[in-house]
């Protein structure tokens, strides 16, 4: 079974938008070129493991890790979805 790689990119975009960040600023936080981030978000390129690790380790973004990888949240331990940050 092949997971839909564009789904991960769409979720990354949701995270970026929930944080109120432009693509260049978000790319800077994760330390990837903006064009790479664009390719991830649009599903043109499969998201790499190094990117996922960088997101998981970033102090402002790690709260989305569980949701990004499994569609689950556990608010009691700080794992939320982008929708939950808007509340």
């Amino acid at each position: 079974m092949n997971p839909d790689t564009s789904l991960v990119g769409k979720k990354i975009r949701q995270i970026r938008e929930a944080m109120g960040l432009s693509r260049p600023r978000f790319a800077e936080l994760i330390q990837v070129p903006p064009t790479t981030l664009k390719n991830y978000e649009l599903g043109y390129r499969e998201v790499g493991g190094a990117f996922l690790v960088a997101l998981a380790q970033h102090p402002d973004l790690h709260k989305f890790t569980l949701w990004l990888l499994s569609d689950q949240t556990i608010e009691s331990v700080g794992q939320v979805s982008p929708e939950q940050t808007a509340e």
Side-chain angles (χ1 to χ4, degrees):
M1 179 171 134
N2 261 349
D4 182 359
T5 56
S6 67
L7 178 61
V8 175
K10 288 175 187 174
K11 291 173 88 172
I12 290 168
R13 182 176 182 170
Q14 284 181 269
I15 292 168
R16 177 177 63 77
E17 290 176 347
M19 297 296 293
L21 299 172
S22 66
R23 192 174 280 145
R25 178 68 184 120
F26 191 84
E28 183 181 312
L29 286 179
I30 304 296
Q31 298 182 335
V32 298
T35 54
T36 298
L37 178 59
K38 179 181 178 180
N39 288 334
Y40 289 162
E41 287 185 356
L42 297 176
Y44 298 151
R45 187 170 169 198
E46 189 172 325
V47 178
F51 179 93
L52 295 174
V53 169
L55 189 141
Q57 292 180 343
H58 192 281
D60 296 329
L61 303 173
H62 74 277
K63 62 187 171 191
F64 300 113
T65 303
L66 183 62
W67 173 80
L68 178 63
L69 300 177
S70 70
D71 277 334
Q72 302 202 9
T73 62
I74 305 174
E75 288 184 74
S76 63
V77 296
Q79 287 294 303
V80 297
S81 71
E83 292 83 21
Q84 290 170 301
T85 62
E87 296 175 350

